[in-house]
Amino acid sequence: MSHPPSPRISLRKKPQQERSNELMAAILEAAVQVLTKEGAQRFTTARVAERAGVSVGSLYQYFPNKAAILFRLQSDEWQQTAEMLRRILEDTSKPPLERLIALVHAFIRSECEEAAIRGALHDAAPLYRDAPEAQEARASGEGILETFMQEALPQVPEPTRAVAAELIATTLTSVGKQFSESPRTDAEIKAYAGALADMVCAYLERIRQR
């Protein structure tokens, strides 16, 4: 049984001039506003164009369809998360566990601050998740945590380190999503992230001592 082809989600063309970059930025900002206000089900290129103050034709110069816009928002979010991981975990001026604590706090806070857009993008994922571009974008952050584990657990066998990296990544993603589904105060975020960081660090210390 054949499957329908994935929608095209690549840009039609990349902006080359400052004016084009400004137009792209306006479209993406409008897309965020429409997505968070209307939700994935009511997200359309016409609504985005209207919010951005441009014609639908101008929007189609860059994005072939709404899936392409949504994918761009999602890929930007994936890239930002990967950059956050890299910036914190590759800071060798701090000991490994201190970096891990900083990562947990930064990740949970980010999840709470961007809960609306991330929830909407999750709902829209079926529109682009099977496209090759999406698979490539998701891979942008792969390997960062595994590399960190080599430094944090140098005497631990590689298979154990791989399991630890996967478990921590899955825990952060799942717990962060669930925690951010309700509005949280700054004190709640700090307390929750602190408790989660303690659990993760205790887990690594236990692996070290085996």
Side-chain angles (χ1 to χ4, degrees):
M1 180 178 179
S2 61
H3 296 278
S6 299
R8 178 183 177 184
I9 59 175
S10 299
L11 293 179
R12 286 188 184 277
K13 68 176 183 178
K14 295 183 179 180
Q16 301 294 330
Q17 301 177 349
E18 182 178 355
R19 184 176 179 182
S20 297
N21 285 319
E22 291 175 353
L23 175 59
M24 174 75 79
I27 291 172
L28 293 175
E29 177 59 30
V32 170
Q33 295 173 9
V34 172
L35 187 60
T36 54
K37 182 179 179 180
E38 304 288 347
Q41 300 302 319
R42 291 175 55 81
F43 184 91
T44 64
T45 53
R47 285 192 172 93
V48 173
E50 180 181 7
R51 176 70 65 132
V54 302
S55 68
V56 174
S58 295
L59 183 150
Y60 282 144
Q61 290 181 31
Y62 301 99
F63 299 100
N65 47 49
K66 70 177 184 179
I69 303 175
L70 292 165
F71 169 68
R72 173 58 187 267
L73 295 179
Q74 180 65 86
S75 61
D76 284 351
E77 194 275 327
W78 282 332
Q79 183 177 10
Q80 290 166 8
T81 299
E83 290 174 354
M84 180 180 69
L85 284 169
R86 187 172 289 107
R87 173 175 51 82
I88 295 175
L89 294 183
E90 293 182 357
D91 182 7
T92 55
S93 66
K94 299 176 182 178
L97 289 186
E98 185 175 329
R99 279 177 263 164
L100 189 56
I101 292 171
L103 174 64
V104 172
H105 279 268
F107 187 87
I108 296 300
R109 182 167 296 280
S110 174
E111 287 287 299
C112 291
E113 291 175 348
E114 301 176 12
I117 183 65
R118 285 180 174 169
L121 284 172
H122 180 269
D123 293 339
L127 293 173
Y128 56 78
R129 65 185 173 196
D130 294 329
E133 297 95 329
Q135 297 172 17
E136 292 175 5
R138 278 195 297 267
S140 62
E142 292 181 357
I144 300 174
L145 199 52
E146 287 81 355
T147 300
F148 168 77
M149 287 300 172
Q150 293 176 12
E151 180 184 357
L153 305 170
Q155 305 302 321
V156 175
E158 190 281 330
T160 303
R161 290 200 304 262
V163 170
E166 182 179 359
L167 181 60
I168 290 175
T170 301
T171 299
L172 287 179
T173 301
S174 300
V175 172
K177 180 180 182 299
Q178 183 178 20
F179 179 71
S180 63
E181 287 177 349
S182 300
R184 303 292 181 177
T185 65
D186 185 68
E188 288 175 328
I189 294 172
K190 288 181 179 178
Y192 195 86
L196 182 58
D198 288 344
M199 291 173 59
V200 171
C201 289
Y203 169 61
L204 287 194
E205 285 289 5
R206 182 178 179 182
I207 293 177
R208 279 179 174 177
Q209 296 171 7
R210 287 178 180 173

